Amino acid sequence: MSLRRKACIVGAYEHPTRKAPDKTVAQLHAECARGALADAGLRLEDVDGYFCAGDAPGLGPLSMAEYLGLNLRHVDSTDTGGSAYLVHVSHAAQAIAAGKCDVALITLAGRPRSEAQSLNSGPRVVGSAVPDAPWEAAYGVNAVNMYALAAARHMHEYGTTSEQLAWIKVAAAAHAQHNPHAMLREPVTVDDVLRSPLIADPLRKLDCCVVSDGGGALVMTRPEIARTLKRPVIHLLGAGESLKGQDKGRVNLTTSAAAISGPIAFAEAGVQPRDIQYASVYDSFTITVLIQLEDLGFCKKGEGGRFVADGGLIAGVGRLPVNTDGGGLCNNHPANRGGMTKIIEAVRQLRGEAHPAVQVKNCALALAQGTGGLLGSRHGSATVILERD
């Protein structure tokens, strides 16, 4: 079933906090939910579909529906890590198109900063029930070294340089200086990135995302409901989702599952990468952005370094504005899952509500891309393409 213009995003809200020692995760979910509904001009009583992932406390939708006082006829707790919230946009659209719900609420929230959880260091702790754990635990697998493997291999295969990766951070910082809520608002240079401490060769401290509390939420409805509200109508044009694993040992570290989810989304939307005016691309690390841009078709495989260099991702300067809120590298990475904020900034751009310094002129077509898991091993990917009515 094609999702093209079958559902609309009518509400979006990003929690302003970056550290919330005095709030529970459930409270953050609730505040995000109320913020997105207020943005849409709707109420909790209007919600009949609810979508959340593994960041939700307790029993996920069961616990949160009770906490929020929702009366539901459709729920979904699909979890693919940081890409889950883009998957939820697709699944919510499917549910709306099938008549399973009329108003879908999607929430994300977490407190990794207050709870001193780090995405970028320390061994990855997994339970014995996880089938891959015994084979990888001995090697001290964690997020940063698995992304570093992908970066090192890309450099070996294609001659990508640390300087080129640094430009991705430079672009994020150039945008973040205009975001009053961003954790890191100071502009940086390529030399600043290259002089930052080495974390896992070849990735340095400034190649890594921030760790933040916070969250966000989205509200989706049928188009006929959307047009009765007072917000700009943002249509879902196309969506794709996929997974990538170790392929029985035939590992390609330079390709992500975006190589599958991206073409699915573009085919459904009926557009090409060259048509996209703005892109939100998951940026847990600089290499994450580069590989996804290649896999999505914005440049050929191996040419990502040249594509991002010299300000290629900076609004008003480069060939493709990316992550104009500062992204996970500078703005926030709530619950160590940044997919939600990727959609929110795409909605801002399409509504014309991004900061004037980074707003894409007459932005009508945007892409949001999420990756969840580890780029160097197994991960989920989801791509959505959005259009202003």
Side-chain angles (χ1 to χ4, degrees):
M1 176 179 64
S2 173
L3 299 179
R4 184 180 171 88
R5 298 194 178 96
K6 295 291 179 61
C8 305
I9 296 176
V10 296
Y13 178 80
E14 179 183 349
H15 204 291
T17 189
R18 301 296 180 261
K19 189 171 185 180
D22 58 338
K23 297 181 184 292
T24 67
V25 173
Q27 281 179 290
L28 290 172
H29 271 274
E31 290 174 8
C32 291
R34 291 183 181 279
L37 286 163
D39 181 60
L42 295 168
R43 304 172 299 167
L44 284 168
E45 301 89 270
D46 298 315
V47 175
D48 58 353
Y50 180 56
F51 298 74
C52 64
D55 58 277
L59 296 176
L62 182 59
S63 298
M64 284 306 305
E66 179 77 9
Y67 187 84
L68 293 170
L70 300 176
N71 293 311
L72 303 172
R73 56 193 183 100
H74 188 81
V75 296
D76 189 329
S77 58
T78 300
D79 194 354
T80 56
S83 60
Y85 316 94
L86 293 96
V87 171
H88 290 167
V89 168
S90 174
H91 288 191
Q94 293 175 46
I96 290 168
K100 299 295 185 181
C101 62
D102 292 324
V103 177
L105 171 67
I106 307 168
T107 65
L108 153 77
R111 301 174 63 252
R113 188 179 180 196
S114 291
E115 295 170 4
Q117 300 173 14
S118 174
L119 173 71
N120 303 329
S121 62
R124 188 173 179 84
V125 180
V126 290
S128 59
V130 180
D132 50 77
W135 309 102
E136 297 181 352
Y139 299 97
V141 170
N142 62 39
V144 67
N145 63 29
M146 293 305 284
Y147 281 80
L149 279 176
R153 189 65 193 181
H154 202 282
M155 290 177 172
H156 174 77
E157 291 278 353
Y158 302 112
T160 307
T161 67
S162 293
E163 289 83 356
Q164 290 171 334
L165 287 181
W167 273 105
I168 298 172
K169 173 69 175 191
V170 171
H175 297 146
Q177 66 180 313
H178 305 294
N179 181 352
H181 300 300
M183 285 183 65
L184 305 178
R185 297 188 63 196
E186 292 295 323
V188 300
T189 66
V190 169
D191 285 342
D192 291 332
V193 180
L194 299 180
R195 286 197 299 264
S196 65
L198 188 67
I199 304 298
D201 193 14
L203 298 180
R204 297 183 174 275
K205 181 178 179 179
L206 295 186
D207 286 301
C208 306
C209 70
V210 299
V211 175
S212 71
D213 299 347
L218 298 165
V219 179
M220 298 182 66
T221 67
R222 293 183 285 113
E224 53 268 37
I225 294 176
R227 291 192 176 97
T228 68
L229 304 174
K230 296 180 180 180
R231 304 297 280 132
V233 177
I234 307 301
H235 292 282
L236 176 64
L237 278 192
E241 59 192 79
S242 187
L243 303 173
K244 181 174 181 285
Q246 299 283 25
D247 192 23
K248 300 178 181 178
R250 298 184 293 270
V251 183
N252 182 347
L253 291 170
T254 66
T255 300
S256 73
I260 301 173
S261 65
I264 293 171
F266 278 114
E268 185 170 61
V271 300
Q272 301 293 325
R274 63 176 177 270
D275 300 320
I276 299 297
Q277 296 167 283
Y278 167 76
S280 285
V281 181
Y282 202 97
D283 56 343
S284 48
F285 300 89
T286 51
I287 187 61
T288 321
V289 177
L290 188 147
I291 287 179
Q292 289 174 104
L293 286 172
E294 293 178 341
D295 293 339
L296 291 167
F298 290 109
C299 60
K300 293 181 180 179
K301 179 57 65 178
E303 295 182 1
R306 291 187 291 277
F307 187 84
V308 303
D310 302 318
L313 308 184
I314 299 175
V317 176
R319 52 190 67 83
L320 178 69
V322 169
N323 299 342
T324 48
D325 61 342
L329 290 171
C330 293
N331 176 27
N332 68 341
H333 194 238
N336 285 336
R337 293 163 172 255
M340 174 66 78
T341 53
K342 296 295 168 277
I343 310 167
I344 292 171
E345 183 66 6
V347 170
R348 288 194 194 105
Q349 282 286 353
L350 291 168
R351 287 176 168 179
E353 295 174 354
H355 190 281
V358 298
Q359 176 65 53
V360 176
K361 186 177 181 180
N362 299 322
C363 186
L365 194 64
L367 174 145
Q369 166 66 29
T371 295
L374 301 179
L375 198 64
S377 60
R378 57 200 57 78
H379 61 269
S381 174
T383 311
V384 297
I385 298 173
L386 306 173
E387 178 188 55
R388 179 166 177 151
D389 193 32

